Amino acid sequence: MNTFEETVKVTDTITLGGDRMVLFSGPCVVESYDLCLETGTRMKAICEELDIDYVFKSSFDKANRTAATSYRGPSLEGGLEILSRVKQALHVPIVTDVHESYQCAEVATVVDVLQIPAYLCRQTDLLKAAARTGKAVKVKKGQFMAPEDMKYAVDKVRNEGNPNVFLTERGISFGYHTLVVDMRSLPIMRKFTPVVFDVTHSIQQPGGRGATSGGQREFAPFLARAAAAVGVDGFFIETHPRPEKALSDGPNMIPLREMEDFLRMLQRYWKMGREE
């Protein structure tokens, strides 16, 4: 699927849209330095073995939790301190969410990629502030957005002089507490910029457990294989050593112990999806 010929620079050494699979992966939210280090260490080792480019992911704040009582994270200052330590310890690039325009400049001093949450993909000031940092901008397609309309989010970033913007598919709302993935969205959005498939949020059940979201982890391999076969440039997969004890999105994260086999399987399908 080569409808878009250009590539996007994720970091100085990682390119999205080329001939290497890129993985954005880590625990949903920063719970502790030890957890992030454990997860990142294992994921880095797996990706080195499989020759996959790896970007560590975790959020310093989950500002869109279902209930006010849910754990959000260690805050901007505390979260960036932990992410900085992980980056220095593992020598891996970092991606994290930004929710407010004022956060972008400070977050960009630590991370390599700024992620725009799906609910905020139309927020012009946020997109522009992220773009002006000069860092790569990863925009998640809103659960309410048509894929062709994501072109305008891409344009908002590029119009600030930042060409390194790419999109992420994470499903669209289908009634209440359910998401579905329209695989047509992948080649449609690929006309504008490289595309990443979010495996674990595509199986999320937003608000499906009342005060928290649920998930159907058992369907992750099926959706991941389908997206890989259609053709995407990379994957976003949240993982955790003990998902049953995770403080956010446990039901849809892939257990860390299963990630090597999961990625081996996924890489085979990804390579087939890249064939002419």
Side-chain angles (χ1 to χ4, degrees):
M1 182 183 63
N2 291 319
T3 55
F4 183 81
E5 298 301 332
E6 297 183 32
T7 58
V8 162
K9 187 173 74 170
V10 179
T11 70
D12 289 338
T13 59
I14 297 178
T15 297
L16 194 64
D19 58 0
R20 289 177 62 84
M21 180 171 147
V22 181
L23 176 68
F24 304 83
S25 184
C28 176
V29 66
V30 173
E31 298 181 19
S32 68
Y33 171 70
D34 289 342
L35 175 78
C36 289
L37 187 65
E38 177 185 358
T39 306
T41 299
R42 179 60 182 143
M43 290 308 306
K44 179 184 179 182
I46 293 171
C47 289
E48 287 179 346
E49 181 178 351
L50 299 181
D51 202 27
I52 295 171
D53 286 332
Y54 175 56
V55 181
F56 177 84
K57 183 272 168 184
S58 198
S59 300
F60 62 83
D61 180 24
K62 300 299 292 185
N64 54 0
R65 295 301 304 273
T66 303
T69 54
S70 295
Y71 177 73
R72 289 180 52 167
S75 78
L76 177 63
E77 182 178 351
L80 289 183
E81 190 269 336
I82 290 174
L83 292 175
S84 178
R85 290 174 62 194
V86 171
K87 184 175 183 177
Q88 293 172 13
L90 299 181
H91 303 288
V92 295
I94 305 288
V95 58
T96 197
D97 300 284
V98 287
H99 295 87
E100 303 280 354
S101 300
Y102 76 84
Q103 297 174 338
C104 294
E106 184 174 358
V107 171
T109 65
V110 172
V111 311
D112 304 271
V113 183
L114 275 64
Q115 179 168 277
I116 308 299
Y119 289 123
L120 301 177
C121 68
R122 289 175 59 103
Q123 295 296 99
T124 301
D125 289 344
L126 180 60
L127 288 163
K128 293 173 70 172
R132 287 194 293 267
T133 67
K135 296 299 180 75
V137 181
K138 179 179 181 293
V139 186
K140 286 197 169 187
K141 180 174 76 67
Q143 301 92 328
F144 47 87
M145 292 289 290
E148 58 269 22
D149 291 341
M150 290 304 295
K151 175 183 184 299
Y152 305 108
V154 171
D155 289 344
K156 289 174 183 180
V157 175
R158 288 182 176 156
N159 287 344
E160 295 298 310
N162 188 340
N164 295 312
V165 53
F166 55 101
L167 298 173
T168 300
E169 170 60 60
R170 58 137 313 150
I172 190 165
S173 295
F174 186 74
Y176 302 119
H177 307 312
T178 303
L179 299 171
V180 297
V181 178
D182 181 356
M183 292 295 168
R184 296 175 300 178
S185 69
L186 303 176
I188 291 172
M189 293 194 296
R190 192 63 178 73
K191 295 176 182 178
F192 319 135
T193 192
V195 173
V196 169
F197 182 65
D198 183 341
V199 175
T200 44
H201 285 102
S202 293
I203 55 172
Q204 186 187 59
Q205 295 174 306
R209 291 186 171 185
T212 61
S213 292
Q216 295 176 300
R217 187 184 300 127
E218 67 271 22
F219 294 119
F222 302 101
L223 291 183
R225 287 197 294 264
V230 170
V232 291
D233 302 289
F235 297 89
F236 179 100
I237 306 175
E238 289 185 335
T239 184
H240 193 288
R242 296 160 290 278
E244 67 281 0
K245 296 184 178 180
L247 300 180
S248 176
D249 272 356
N252 46 274
M253 282 195 282
I254 305 299
L256 185 60
R257 64 184 178 276
E258 298 178 11
M259 281 296 290
E260 181 175 355
D261 289 342
F262 193 98
L263 288 173
R264 286 186 184 278
M265 171 275 295
L266 188 54
Q267 191 177 44
R268 292 197 301 271
Y269 282 83
W270 182 80
K271 289 178 178 179
M272 287 190 290
R274 307 298 285 186
E275 295 175 357
E276 295 292 340

